[in-house]
Amino acid sequence: MDSRRFLRTSAAALAAAGLILSGCTGGSDAAAPAGSATGAASPSPSPAALKKYYGQKLAWRDCGVEGFQCATLRAPLDYAKPDGPGIELAVSRVRATGPGERIGSLLVNPGGPGGSAVDYLQGYAGVGYPEPVRARYDMVAVDPRGVGRSEPVDCLTGPEMDAYTQVDQTPDDKAETAALEASFKRFAAGCEKRSGPVLAHVSTVETARDMDILRAVLGDEKLHYVGASYGTFLGATYAELFPGRVGRLVLDGAMDPSLSALDLNRDQTAGFETAFGAFAADCVTRPDCPLGTGSAREAGEALKKFFRDADATPVPTGEDRALGESLATTGVIAAMYDEGAWPQLREALTRAIGGEGSALLALADSYYERDPDGSYANLMAANAAVNCLDLPPAYRGPADAEKAVPSFDAASPVFGTGLAWAALNCTYWPSPATGRPHRITAEGAAPILVVGTTRDPATPYKWAESLAGQLSSGTLLTYEGDGHTAYGRGSDCVDTAINAYLLEGTPPADGKRCS
């Protein structure tokens, strides 16, 4: 798997810290949820009120990408007002290639929140998933509301985003604290001004309801789905709302829906420390390690010194943006998602410590999905919008963030302070949270496969253990390794187990471990 593609489709997870009717399902039951989600964004609409959405037909057209078709799905903007305005969602598919009997549609979501599922399908899943899976499923993706091509949330211009990403996130005094607070307020105000009414309606519950409309319009009785990272929360939410419609669900790199925003942020901070520890232990054995040849702990101290130096004197990059502590930290964190990026990080750190920061800046840009022309994808805007609706904010204000710093530093001596302050972003959000932390059991659902990686930086392994334990039909598959998520990342054991589940419907034995 290409590391840059992986970084671009997965890196949004850190920001969680700052974080259709053509056949099988007809009649009045098509829209009736078989369960309910705690903190749902709106009351459950009646089946009759949603009939026009469940009864729509998709007009497939050529995407301009060989082998793929595209269409537009309509859903209510506000499920509490299904007769009100609608929202248009971008859908793409590639048909099952055969041989073998077609099983149905397999929806994919790369996570974020904010990652484009359509880009993920066309750039990887639709051509890179195992051939036996693509042979028997139509591979399908829908950009969630507010994301990618689905009426995207917009917050800041390119130059404004450049300024936002460079704000010091480890404030040393009241002036720097006020500047950081002001940057979060400007970001939130920009989202409210530039995004309009969609900003209040991009919750995970609403997106899960959209997926059920898509399932029905595609003609599938059950939803088959592979979700990575945040996509696991989306899949689990679907199972909670519609347990009787769960088909084969793979939740890879699981989130824990029972945790508060503060606990999620702190756990994720510890996950990045674990991932950095693995990188550092490998780095110090290599002659090109820029962090020394001592212990992993000493490598961490060397990196912290580099961050402090960059805070005091940003590193030149050959362009208008110098590499300060915030961008340098983001560049390092971006490379934690995939051990395949470790050589790139060693080189980038070597150059940055030597006074030339362009390579580490490029890693930070890949994380933020900043293009060379200075424009940004809507990843970070959508990420904040969804997260700030799904959970109440971690803090009431800067004083709470300051009090939390010691516990974050205990979780990660390298990244703790910056990630503690990053969690301040939802404090100023213009739309109140509609979700609450809660356990998801999805009683009555078919077996659901939860996958966890032991040294996952963004979704700590204990989250997978927790989600698998919460789900009444959850089965845990463990990958003993590095990087974010496990499917398609080099473990034959993991891939064989997931492929068998998708093709035959039988999950591996609960507790199966792979390396």
Side-chain angles (χ1 to χ4, degrees), residues 374-400:
S375 63
Y376 288 76
N378 95 305
L379 171 66
M380 305 310 290
N383 184 277
V386 175
N387 285 326
C388 295
L389 283 183
D390 279 350
L391 288 174
Y395 308 131
R396 293 165 297 180
D400 287 348

Side-chain angles (χ1 to χ4, degrees), residues 20-249:
I20 318 181
L21 193 64
S22 60
C24 299
T25 50
S28 63
D29 288 340
S36 62
T38 301
S42 59
S44 299
S46 69
L50 292 178
K51 186 176 180 180
K52 66 179 180 180
Y53 293 108
Y54 275 81
Q56 68 187 291
K57 295 183 182 297
L58 293 180
W60 293 103
R61 61 186 183 278
D62 181 74
C63 289
V65 179
E66 185 177 357
F68 292 88
Q69 296 175 305
C70 288
T72 300
L73 177 74
R74 286 189 59 80
L77 175 64
D78 183 350
Y79 276 91
K81 301 174 181 178
D83 292 327
I87 188 169
E88 295 189 343
L89 309 175
V91 181
S92 183
R93 74 176 179 186
V94 58
R95 302 306 296 266
T97 59
E101 183 180 358
R102 177 183 173 277
I103 295 171
S105 305
L106 181 64
L107 269 67
V108 295
N109 183 283
S116 169
V118 170
D119 285 352
Y120 177 72
L121 176 75
Q122 295 177 357
Y124 173 65
V127 294
Y129 265 35
E131 191 278 332
V133 173
R134 292 184 288 113
R136 299 188 60 197
Y137 283 99
D138 291 345
M139 302 289 295
V140 180
V142 54
D143 275 353
R145 48 178 60 209
V147 173
R149 300 165 179 82
S150 294
E151 302 195 19
V153 170
D154 185 25
C155 297
L156 300 176
T157 65
E160 289 170 340
M161 274 297 295
D162 280 348
Y164 177 73
T165 61
Q166 294 178 75
V167 174
D168 186 355
Q169 292 203 0
T170 57
D172 300 314
D173 53 38
K174 290 183 179 179
E176 290 186 351
T177 299
L180 179 59
E181 183 181 22
S183 76
F184 286 135
K185 288 180 177 178
R186 284 193 298 271
F187 186 88
C191 295
E192 183 176 31
K193 178 180 178 180
R194 298 167 68 95
S195 298
V198 71
L199 192 66
H201 295 288
V202 294
S203 72
T204 297
V205 166
E206 290 164 307
T207 294
R209 293 191 185 281
D210 297 340
M211 288 205 308
D212 196 59
I213 293 176
L214 178 57
R215 171 203 58 79
V217 171
L218 291 171
D220 292 325
E221 183 178 358
K222 304 285 186 179
L223 181 81
H224 305 304
Y225 174 82
V226 177
S229 194
Y230 160 79
T232 67
F233 179 48
L234 177 57
T237 299
Y238 181 90
E240 181 180 32
L241 288 166
F242 307 101
R245 297 179 190 159
V246 168
R248 302 168 190 180
L249 262 62

